Amino acid sequence: MGLTKQYLRYVASAVFGLIGSQKGSIVFVTLRGEKGRYVAVPACEHVFIWDLRKGEKILILHGLKQEVTCLCPSPDGLHLAVGYEDGSIRIFSLLSGEGNVTFNGHKAAVTSLKYDHLGGRLASGSKDTDVIVWDVINESGLYRLKGHKDAITQALFLREKNLLVTSGKDTMVKWWDLDNQHCFKTMIGHRTEVWGLVLVSEERRLITGSSDSELRAWDITYLQEINDPEEPEPKKIRESSPGIHEAPEAEDGSFEFDETPQDRILSCRKAGSIMREGRDRVVNLAVDKTGKILACHGTDSVLEVFCILSKEEVQKKMDKKMKKARKKAKLSSCKGEEEEDFEITVEMTLKDEIQQLTNIKTSAKIKSFDLIHSPQGELKAVFLLQNNQVELYSLNASLPTPQPVRMGRITMGGHRSDVRTLSFSSDNIAVLSAAADSIKIWNRSTLQCIRTMACDYALCSFFVPGDRQVVIGTKSGKLQLYDLASGSPLETVDAHSGALWSMSVSPDKRGFVTGGADKSVKFWDFELVKDESSIQKRLSVRQTRTLQLDEEVLCVSCSPNQKLLAVSLLDCTVKIFYVDTLKFFLSLYGHRLPVICMDISYDGMLIATGSADRNVKIWGLDFGDCHRSLFAHDDSVMFLQFVPKSHLFFTAGKDRKIKQWDADKFEHIQTLEGHHQEIWCLAISPSGDYVVSSSHDKSLRLWERTREPLILEEEREMQREAEYEESVAKEDQPAVPGETQGDSYFTGKKTIETVKAAERIMEAIELYREETVKMKEHKAICKAAGKEVPRPMNPVLIAYGNISPSTYVLETFKGVKSSELEESLLVLPFSYVPDILQLFDEFIQMGSDVELLCRCLFFLLRIHFGQITSNQMLVPVIEKLKETTISKVRQVQDVIGFNMAGLDYLKRECEAKSEVMFFADATSHLEEKKRKRRNRKKMILTLT
C-alpha cells in the first residue's frame, strides 16, 4: 500500500546562545599542555570547553539526553568525569572529546565526583544517598557505601590512608574505611546541612561549611599518633615572668564521639570556627592544590578568600604575640604592681592559622567557581554566574592586602536572561533573539553572534521587510526600531500604555498590527522620514487606526488575504474582525483558560489556537466552527506557528517539548525533545527548513528538516520502544543472594544495555549448544559413511571468520562493556551457568583472557553459590576450575611481576641517564661562565 501522506523528519542540529548551565560546576582543565587557560562548563546535556583568553568555544563533549549536574577533571588532566541527572557518569577524553566509559549505578542525579590522587578511583555521590567508588582503569564498580539519609554533597579521598570522608544534607560527616568498606566514624557536630568540606594542613584538618555563617575546623589525629604522643603539636606558648597571673584554659569547643577503641582509626576534635561575612548558607567550599588558599561563597555575588598559614608563619606570628606580652608585662611591673612569679600564656586561635585575605565581588550571583595557581604565581579564580556568564579574576596572594583584578569575561555567546522572542529573516540566514536587556542577531549557519544591541524588556519582534531593520515590542508598551548595519536605535514610540504582547506583519508588508494590555489593537504603517541632522531618510512608523476592546489583548494575527484580523483576549475567547471596517465577524470560544498563541494558515482557511489549558483547537475561518480539539501538552501551550505553505504547525509548551501536528488529519507527527526547562517561544524560517526555540534553561536550539521521510506507524513504534526501555530501567533490581531487597551493596544498575548484553550471552550459549549437537550428529554420520562428509557452517560463525562455537562465546563475553559485565551476569538464568562454567574451564586451561574469565567466574560463584554447591554434576567442574584457576593466576602474577621489575629497571636507567645529562649540562655551563670571566679580565687589563 502506498503512502497517503509523507512527512519529513526534523532533527536537532545545534545548541547555541548558552555559555554555562546553572546545575553543574565550572572547572579548570588542562588542554594542549596549558593550565589556567581553559575551563569546562556544563551546557544542558553537553559540556563546553571555553578558551578564557580568546573567549571562544573550542571543544564540545556531546552528551545524550540528560542534563549535566557535576564535573571533575582527572589528576593527570587527560580526562573529565561528567555526572548526569539520571545518575549515570561518563569519562571523556579531553584529547579526542569522546566518552568511551559509562558508569550506571545511581538512581538519581549525581551531586559529587572526586578522583583519588592517582586518578585510578572515582568516588561519586548522588541524591539517592549512596556513595559508589569506581575503578576507572578496570571500568567497573568497586563497592557501594550506604549510610547517609539524604543527598551527598561532597566526597574526598585521603592521600595518606585508604579512607574516604563524605558529607550530606542529613547534617552528618561520615568517615569510611575503604579496606573493609564500612563507616567507622560519624560526626554529628552540625545542626544543619553540610554543604561542603575540604582537607587542609597536609590532611590534618577538616573544614566544613553548613547553612550558617560558620566554617567549622576539625583537627584530625590518627591512631598511631594517639597511642604514641611523643611530639604533640604546641597549642600554647608559656613563659615565666613576674606580674601576670596564668589565664584560665579556654574550652576548644571540641565534640567527642562515642567509639569503640578497636574501631578507632582516627580522632576528630573541633579546633574552632571561622566566621564568614555572608549570612546565608555555604554553596561551594574549595581549596587550591597547594592547600594555602581556601575560598567559599553563599547565594550572593561575593567570594570570600582565606589564607592558610604554614607552621613557620604561625610560629613567627606567635613569637610576635609573645614579644608584645613581654613588653606589656614589663610595663605593668614598672607601674608598681605585685612582683611575683607568673606565667605568660599566649593562646593560638584558629584566626592565627587561617586569615581572611580578601573578597571577590562578581557582577552577578555566583553558581560555582574554581581556583588555580598560574605559572607566574598568581591565583586565578573563574566563576560561572547565574546570568549565563563566565568571569575570570586574578589576585596576588603573597601581598598583605591583595586586590582582585578582573582578567576577562565570556558574555558574547548568550543573553543574560531568558529569550522571550525569536524571529527569522526573509532569507533564512539571520536569527533575531531578544531578552530583558539585549537583542542579538545570529548567523544561522555559523551560530555566531554578529550584532548585540541594548533594549528594554522585549516580548515580541520581527524583521522589517528588506531585513535591514528590526522592530521590538517591549513590556513597557514601547515600539523600538533598530538599524542592523549600525546596530543603533532609530526610534522609540510609546505604542501602548501596558505591555505590548503581540505584533503581526500585514501581508502587503507595508505595516503591522500590535496588541497590548491596554485593551487596544493598533495599526501602524512604515514610512520614511527626514531628520534635521541628516540628509538621508530613515525608517519610521505611523499609527493609522485603533481598535478598542473590552479585555486585555494577548495575541493578534492577520490573515494572508488581508481581510480578517484575529485577536485573543483575556476572557478566553478569540474575536475575528474585518480589517477594512474593523467590524466584528466571529467569536471563537471553547478554551477554559486564555489563548496565549495562535496562527492562521497560509490559505486563510484554518486558525489554530493554543491556550494555557494545555489544549490546541483547530477552527475553520469560514464559519468559526471547531474542527478538532487536541490535548497538546502537559502544561501551558506557549507558542504556535504554521509551517509556511502547509497545514502543518508546531507548538511549544512549558512541558519542555516541541510538537508537530497535521491540521488536516488532526494527527501528532513528531515530538522534538531537548530543552530542560519550559520553552518560551520558537520561530520557523520562511522556507520551513529550520526551527529555532528558546527556553528557561538559557539555551537556543536549532532544528533542521531532513530529507528522511517520517512514517507515523514507525514513529509510534519507536515511541513504544522508548517507553519500554524506560520501564526496564525503572524495574526492580535483581536480587543478589545474601542481600535483602533495598539494601543491595552491588554497584551496578539494570539498564537496557545490560539486558541486551545478557541476551547476547544467552544467544551465544544457545548457538554453542546447537553447534555441539550438530557436530556430534556429523561425527556419527561420518562414522557411518566411512568418510569425511562436508558439514554446513553456521553463518554467524562464518561472519566471525570461521571460528569455533566456544570461541564465539568467549568473543561475546569480551564484547560486553566492563562496566556492564556484573549486571549482565546477574540477570542471566541459572540454566546457562553449567555450560558457562565448563567453557570457562576450557578457556582458562588455554590461558586466554584469564583476568576477565576469573572476574566472571568469581561473580557467578558468588551469586549462584547455593545452586552450584547442591548440584552434584558441577562438583568435578568446580574442582577442575579450582586447580586450573590457581595455576593460571599464578602464571599471570609472575608475568606481571617480571614486567614491573623490568619497568623499574628501565626507570632507574632513565633516571641515571638524566642525572648524568644534568651534571654534564651543569659542568658545561660552569665552563662557559669561567671562560666569560677570563675574557672580561683580559678586557679590563687591556683597557688599563
Side-chain angles (χ1 to χ4, degrees):
M1 188 178 77
L3 297 177
T4 55
K5 190 163 186 178
Q6 183 173 327
Y7 305 104
L8 295 177
R9 186 183 298 279
Y10 283 82
V11 296
S13 176
V15 178
F16 64 105
L18 180 64
I19 295 172
S21 298
Q22 309 303 311
K23 280 194 175 179
S25 54
I26 187 170
V27 292
F28 278 105
V29 293
T30 304
L31 211 61
R32 301 166 186 168
E34 289 193 54
K35 293 183 179 179
R37 178 173 176 179
Y38 304 101
V39 290
V41 294
C44 292
E45 69 271 24
H46 306 306
V47 176
F48 291 166
I49 309 293
W50 290 93
D51 186 342
L52 293 174
R53 193 177 300 170
K54 295 182 179 179
E56 295 176 356
K57 191 192 309 173
I58 61 166
L59 183 63
I60 300 177
L61 307 178
H62 291 279
L64 300 175
K65 286 185 178 180
Q66 300 296 326
E67 195 171 6
V68 175
T69 58
C70 196
L71 298 178
C72 181
S74 63
D76 58 6
L78 299 177
H79 298 89
L80 183 70
V82 183
Y84 292 92
E85 187 77 30
D86 63 344
S88 62
I89 301 165
R90 295 181 71 192
I91 311 292
F92 286 90
S93 169
L94 291 175
L95 300 176
S96 63
E98 296 179 357
N100 297 323
V101 183
T102 303
F103 296 133
N104 286 299
H106 292 292
K107 298 175 184 176
V110 178
T111 54
S112 171
L113 287 173
K114 197 68 179 178
Y115 279 96
D116 66 353
H117 68 284
L118 294 175
R121 292 178 299 175
L122 177 69
S124 64
S126 168
K127 284 184 178 178
D128 63 3
T129 74
D130 291 348
V131 178
I132 301 179
V133 181
W134 306 91
D135 186 345
V136 178
I137 298 167
N138 197 34
E139 300 178 10
S140 62
L142 292 175
Y143 27 79
R144 183 187 296 266
L145 306 174
K146 287 176 173 282
H148 282 282
K149 303 299 181 187
D150 208 336
I152 310 298
T153 55
Q154 187 62 278
L156 296 174
F157 284 98
L158 269 72
R159 186 184 290 264
E160 294 180 3
K161 308 278 185 180
N162 192 24
L163 304 177
L164 182 76
V165 56
T166 59
S167 62
K169 289 170 72 175
D170 56 358
T171 75
M172 295 181 185
V173 175
K174 287 182 175 288
W175 293 82
W176 306 84
D177 184 356
L178 298 183
D179 290 328
N180 47 21
Q181 300 101 49
H182 85 288
C183 175
F184 65 89
K185 179 182 283 295
T186 299
M187 297 167 58
I188 53 174
H190 303 84
R191 296 190 178 184
T192 55
E193 299 95 335
V194 183
W195 291 101
L197 54 85
V198 291
L199 289 164
V200 297
S201 304
E202 298 177 353
E203 297 187 348
R204 296 305 174 101
R205 176 164 288 164
L206 180 73
I207 297 177
T208 59
S210 57
S211 295
D212 51 19
S213 56
E214 266 186 76
L215 294 179
R216 294 170 176 81
W218 312 81
D219 284 335
I220 303 169
T221 311
Y222 293 105
L223 178 64
Q224 296 88 345
E225 297 164 6
I226 296 171
N227 294 336
D228 187 22
E230 290 183 1
E231 296 180 0
E233 189 175 342
K235 284 290 178 183
K236 299 175 183 177
I237 300 177
R238 289 192 172 96
E239 183 173 314
S240 295
S241 180
I244 295 180
H245 296 285
E246 181 178 354
E249 188 159 331
E251 293 180 7
D252 63 352
S254 60
F255 199 96
E256 287 293 336
F257 308 101
D258 295 326
E259 292 178 329
T260 54
Q262 61 269 23
D263 289 338
R264 197 169 189 181
I265 298 173
L266 54 83
S267 170
C268 283
R269 292 180 63 84
K270 189 174 180 184
S273 296
I274 310 163
M275 299 305 296
R276 298 167 45 237
E277 292 182 5
R279 296 298 175 206
D280 49 358
R281 75 174 181 88
V282 173
V283 176
N284 282 309
L285 180 68
V287 67
D288 69 334
K289 287 188 177 179
T290 62
K292 293 182 179 179
I293 302 296
L294 173 72
C296 66
H297 73 89
T299 55
D300 53 7
S301 59
V302 177
L303 180 79
E304 299 181 41
V305 183
F306 299 88
C307 180
I308 301 169
L309 302 180
S310 63
K311 289 181 181 178
E312 294 78 13
E313 291 169 330
V314 171
Q315 191 61 44
K316 283 181 183 178
K317 200 168 185 181
M318 298 308 295
D319 290 343
K320 285 183 181 178
K321 275 193 174 184
M322 181 57 70
K323 278 186 180 179
K324 286 183 181 179
R326 283 203 207 102
K327 194 177 284 186
K328 194 174 180 182
K330 285 181 182 178
L331 287 172
S332 61
S333 61
C334 290
K335 288 179 181 178
E337 293 185 3
E338 296 179 5
E339 293 190 8
E340 58 182 59
D341 291 340
F342 63 91
E343 198 176 78
I344 296 176
T345 305
V346 179
E347 293 280 350
M348 185 171 73
T349 62
L350 195 64
K351 287 184 178 179
D352 296 323
E353 300 178 60
I354 302 175
Q355 293 181 337
Q356 183 155 13
L357 203 60
T358 185
N359 287 348
I360 300 177
K361 173 80 173 171
T362 58
S363 61
K365 287 184 178 179
I366 304 170
K367 279 298 176 182
S368 62
F369 75 98
D370 197 16
L371 304 173
I372 196 172
H373 271 281
S374 65
Q376 292 77 23
E378 291 184 337
L379 179 73
K380 286 185 177 180
V382 66
F383 299 89
L384 177 60
L385 305 182
Q386 193 180 26
N387 62 350
N388 193 29
Q389 176 172 292
V390 170
E391 287 187 351
L392 176 68
Y393 286 82
S394 174
L395 61 91
N396 191 349
S398 60
L399 297 176
T401 55
Q403 294 298 321
V405 179
R406 192 172 71 193
M407 304 292 291
R409 58 163 60 174
I410 301 174
T411 59
M412 182 64 81
H415 289 275
R416 306 285 75 77
S417 57
D418 294 358
V419 172
R420 300 308 297 261
T421 175
L422 290 165
S423 298
F424 259 103
S425 62
S426 60
D427 57 2
N428 309 294
I429 292 176
V431 179
L432 178 148
S433 64
D437 56 352
S438 64
I439 307 165
K440 287 184 181 288
I441 309 296
W442 307 83
N443 186 314
R444 179 195 50 77
S445 57
T446 62
L447 302 178
Q448 296 297 316
C449 178
I450 55 179
R451 184 77 71 220
T452 302
M453 299 166 282
C455 71
D456 293 344
Y457 198 117
L459 294 176
C460 48
S461 63
F462 65 86
F463 278 87
V464 175
D467 297 336
R468 294 186 178 181
Q469 297 89 13
V470 294
V471 179
I472 303 295
T474 68
K475 197 173 184 178
S476 58
K478 295 178 181 178
L479 279 173
Q480 294 184 318
L481 278 73
Y482 290 86
D483 181 56
L484 294 183
S486 61
S488 59
L490 294 175
E491 188 178 5
T492 300
V493 180
D494 290 326
H496 293 266
S497 57
L500 201 162
W501 289 112
S502 178
M503 295 190 296
S504 178
V505 182
S506 59
D508 60 1
K509 310 293 185 187
R510 294 183 178 181
F512 58 97
V513 183
T514 62
D518 58 355
K519 304 179 183 180
S520 65
V521 175
K522 296 186 179 182
F523 294 79
W524 306 81
D525 283 346
F526 296 115
E527 64 176 0
L528 293 173
V529 297
K530 190 175 181 181
D531 287 335
E532 295 177 359
S533 58
S534 64
I535 304 172
Q536 293 182 347
K537 292 184 178 182
R538 65 167 179 82
L539 184 73
S540 180
V541 293
R542 175 174 53 88
Q543 184 184 344
T544 57
R545 292 182 294 170
T546 302
L547 173 63
Q548 201 66 35
L549 297 162
D550 298 331
E551 295 284 343
E552 284 189 28
V553 178
L554 298 179
C555 188
V556 294
S557 182
C558 293
S559 65
N561 57 10
Q562 211 168 348
K563 288 184 179 180
L564 301 175
L565 173 69
V567 182
S568 73
L569 303 175
L570 198 61
D571 61 359
C572 309
T573 64
V574 177
K575 308 286 189 197
I576 311 294
F577 297 90
Y578 290 106
V579 173
D580 50 359
T581 62
L582 298 183
K583 287 185 178 179
F584 174 75
F585 173 49
L586 290 170
S587 178
L588 310 179
Y589 57 89
H591 284 289
R592 294 190 298 274
L593 291 172
V595 174
I596 300 173
C597 51
M598 63 182 178
D599 196 18
I600 299 174
S601 63
Y602 74 102
D603 53 5
M605 298 297 292
L606 300 173
I607 179 171
T609 58
S611 167
D613 63 6
R614 302 178 291 178
N615 291 319
V616 168
K617 292 183 184 291
I618 300 167
W619 315 76
L621 267 180
D622 42 6
F623 303 108
D625 56 325
C626 180
H627 292 181
R628 187 64 64 93
S629 181
L630 304 169
F631 183 75
H633 291 270
D634 296 329
D635 209 333
S636 301
V637 182
M638 297 302 296
F639 207 86
L640 184 150
Q641 189 175 350
F642 274 96
V643 178
K645 302 291 188 295
S646 74
H647 280 183
L648 308 179
F649 64 92
F650 280 94
T651 60
K654 279 189 175 180
D655 61 352
R656 311 174 186 182
K657 294 176 183 177
I658 300 170
K659 295 185 179 182
Q660 188 185 17
W661 306 85
D662 188 343
D664 292 330
K665 292 181 170 288
F666 317 119
E667 286 186 318
H668 171 219
I669 300 170
Q670 74 173 121
T671 302
L672 304 178
E673 294 183 278
H675 283 292
H676 299 281
Q677 297 289 338
E678 52 264 32
I679 300 171
W680 296 126
C681 60
L682 58 85
I684 303 174
S685 65
S687 65
D689 289 335
Y690 302 98
V691 177
V692 174
S693 58
S694 75
S695 167
H696 184 50
D697 61 14
K698 302 283 195 307
S699 69
L700 301 176
R701 289 178 184 264
L702 180 66
W703 313 85
E704 188 174 351
R705 184 164 62 186
T706 62
R707 302 296 102 190
E708 177 190 353
L710 187 147
I711 313 301
L712 291 181
E713 289 76 12
E714 291 182 2
E715 191 72 12
R716 304 291 178 268
E717 183 65 29
M718 288 169 62
Q719 287 179 3
R720 284 193 290 270
E721 286 180 7
E723 289 172 3
Y724 168 71
E725 290 182 2
E726 287 182 8
S727 66
V728 166
K730 291 177 182 176
E731 286 177 3
D732 291 336
Q733 298 296 310
V736 180
E739 294 180 358
T740 59
Q741 190 70 24
D743 281 334
S744 174
Y745 291 85
F746 185 61
T747 57
K749 184 178 74 171
K750 186 178 179 181
T751 61
I752 192 66
E753 286 80 14
T754 59
V755 173
K756 289 178 179 177
E759 288 174 354
R760 289 198 300 271
I761 294 172
M762 287 189 281
E763 288 171 3
I765 298 296
E766 291 287 352
L767 187 143
Y768 167 75
R769 289 173 177 172
E770 291 173 6
E771 290 298 311
T772 305
V773 171
K774 286 180 181 178
M775 286 173 70
K776 288 180 179 177
E777 292 176 354
H778 180 258
K779 285 182 181 177
I781 292 169
C782 292
K783 190 175 182 181
K787 60 178 181 179
E788 189 68 29
V789 179
R791 186 177 70 88
M793 291 288 292
N794 190 298
V796 176
L797 301 179
I798 295 172
Y800 275 80
N802 287 332
I803 59 175
S804 64
S806 58
T807 309
Y808 175 68
V809 174
L810 179 60
E811 291 295 324
T812 305
F813 272 99
K814 289 163 67 175
V816 179
K817 286 185 178 179
S818 180
S819 56
E820 300 169 359
L821 188 60
E822 278 90 354
E823 187 65 39
S824 303
L825 294 173
L826 192 60
V827 299
L828 204 66
F830 180 74
S831 58
Y832 294 92
V833 172
D835 292 323
I836 291 175
L837 294 179
Q838 290 176 357
L839 286 169
F840 280 3
D841 183 34
E842 178 186 333
F843 297 146
I844 293 173
Q845 282 182 2
M846 293 189 295
S848 55
D849 297 285
V850 175
E851 186 180 351
L852 171 67
L853 296 173
C854 286
R855 182 180 163 194
C856 297
L857 173 63
F858 298 152
F859 186 77
L860 289 172
L861 289 174
R862 175 187 161 196
I863 62 175
H864 296 296
F865 178 78
Q867 289 172 291
I868 290 172
T869 52
S870 61
N871 191 334
Q872 295 297 321
M873 301 289 290
L874 291 176
V875 171
V877 178
I878 296 298
E879 289 293 333
K880 286 178 66 180
L881 274 169
K882 180 182 175 182
E883 297 174 4
T884 54
T885 304
I886 291 172
S887 62
K888 291 297 178 181
V889 168
R890 280 177 180 165
Q891 288 181 14
V892 173
Q893 282 181 330
D894 293 341
V895 171
I896 292 172
F898 179 82
N899 290 339
M900 288 187 69
L903 288 171
D904 284 339
Y905 172 75
L906 291 173
K907 180 184 175 184
R908 289 194 299 271
E909 287 288 316
C910 292
E911 287 174 352
K913 284 184 180 179
S914 62
E915 285 178 6
V916 170
M917 290 295 293
F918 172 75
F919 285 120
D921 290 342
T923 308
S924 62
H925 188 61
L926 184 64
E927 291 294 329
E928 183 69 19
K929 285 179 74 175
K930 286 182 179 178
R931 188 179 61 79
K932 286 183 179 179
R933 197 179 292 120
R934 284 197 299 267
N935 291 340
R936 198 178 297 114
K937 285 181 180 178
K938 285 180 182 178
M939 287 178 67
I940 293 169
L941 288 171
T942 307
L943 289 171
T944 53

